[in-house]
Amino acid sequence: MAFDSLSEKLQNVFKSLRGKGRLTEADVKAALKEVKMALLEADVNFKVVRNFVKSVEERAIGQDVMSSLTPGQMVIKIVNEELVSLMGSEVTELTLLPPNEITVIMMCGLQGAGKTTMVAKLAGRLKTKGRKPLLAACDIYRPAAIEQLQINGGKIGVPVFAMGTKHKPVNIAKAALEHAQKNGNNVLILDTAGRLHIDEDMMNELIEIKENLTVNHTVLVVDAMTGQDAVNVAEHFNHKIGISGVILTKLDGDTRGGAALSIRAVTGRPILFSGTGEKLTDIEPFYPDRMASRILGMGDILTLIDKAQAEIDENKAKELEKKFKKAEFDFNDYLEQMHQIKKMGGIQDILGMMPGVNMNQLKDVELDDSIFAGAEAIIYSMTREERANPALLNPSRKRRIAKGAGVDISEVNKLVKQFEQGRKMMKQLSGAMSGKNKRRGFKLPFGL
């Protein structure tokens, strides 16, 4: 999970600060020395670390903090604010032209960063916003990239313009723009070629495209797991061709987070989106404040709400709420909730957004969504009547279900017990949760 290693180190530093009734200047400097080491180990740019620690120190060694009744909390608040500032303070959206005009977005990056997949992810996101995107296959060096773009375009229902590998990228881009004009597409996304390393030929191709087309946004895709190398790539691309912003891929696999914390400060360009998984829907706007909260172990409830709103059907949620209140929900509902958790990114993603949950402390706990597989097999081995009426589950039925699911009867008993406990708990909490959720406008999945 993103930032887990850095988050654990910072939380350990702040735990010692919270335990002190009063802070001295020496306490603050000792803590910030640990913060500095944690950031450097997270592969954050050393100049960024130096300036960050200096800014925090100047604010933390002030009268307001030293005389505060909760100085440890005040220091954490300052670190949080400085982290947000470091990453850009506010979410930055791609500004699109009016729908009757064509916004041209040129995607670039090194080979292996996940650029072609991200092109499709971005197109899918823009399509959900009511836009009509067209993808243009401008990578003439990798026939597989063209095929990959066409396959992904088909999956999200977005057309792909391709001319094979015999034409110059600039000519493909110009032809794609004409095609977009004739076919009513109002966003053109150019998938340009990547290289194993930065070279002049690649840069010249990109410059040539920008000289012949009005490119509204040049977006760089970088692999978050390459840490400081990703920052160096961003700096070089920005210097050579000028970029509008950056998309970080594989952020879900980077436990350090150095790239996310450095790019804005080094390049002056914002992180626009992050890739958080392999599915073509796994793209999220980059929220600096939410990232800072996750780094400091405060969770990311707002993103969890966004995921819930996107994946949970409102009508189904209302029906389920009624069942919760009357304790009438059954194994069909239980199964539906498991599926919704998967849609929201799975147990690890959800727990990672909950305040106070330290994922490193749970690293030996089986949190993979495969833990659902046994429960699903048991429920699918029930008859329709048994799923709808759990009271029917007597010992003989449980033995038959266990045999059908290929598990021991103890596993069936365990699931039934968890289900009954959950039903009692949800009946007790449904009133309180209903009031809160109405105010927030979402429903949490069963079991959360």
Side-chain angles (χ1 to χ4, degrees), residues 320-330 333 388 390 419-420 422-428 430:
L320 197 58
E321 185 181 356
K322 291 177 183 177
K323 290 186 176 184
F324 282 162
K325 288 180 178 179
K326 297 179 181 178
E328 291 178 350
F329 64 93
D330 54 31
D333 302 315
F419 172 81
E420 292 297 343
R423 184 150 68 167
K424 288 177 184 177
M425 180 187 71
M426 291 310 295
K427 185 178 182 181
Q428 293 170 353
S430 61

Side-chain angles (χ1 to χ4, degrees), residues 429-443:
L429 296 179
S430 61
M433 288 298 291
S434 174
K436 290 179 183 178
N437 292 341
K438 281 175 183 175
R439 288 194 295 273
R440 301 304 297 271
F442 80 110
K443 303 291 188 298

Side-chain angles (χ1 to χ4, degrees), residues 304 306-318 320 336-337 340-341 343-344 442-446 448:
L304 182 57
D306 288 345
K307 282 178 174 284
Q309 288 177 327
E311 299 295 347
I312 297 175
D313 181 87
E314 186 66 22
N315 291 327
K316 285 185 179 179
K318 287 179 180 178
L320 197 58
E336 175 68 21
Q337 295 306 297
Q340 287 184 348
I341 289 173
K343 286 180 183 178
M344 289 171 64
F442 80 110
K443 303 291 188 298
L444 284 174
F446 174 68
L448 292 182

Side-chain angles (χ1 to χ4, degrees), residues 27 33-34 52 90 92 107 147 160 206 227 251 270 302 306 308 317 339 357 387-388 401 415-417:
D27 291 330
K33 186 176 181 181
E34 294 294 321
F52 175 82
E90 296 179 354
T92 304
M107 305 282 279
E147 184 181 358
V160 176
L206 299 175
L251 188 59
L302 291 176
D306 288 345
H339 293 163
V357 176
R387 284 188 222 170
I401 291 166
L415 178 66
V416 172
K417 185 178 180 181

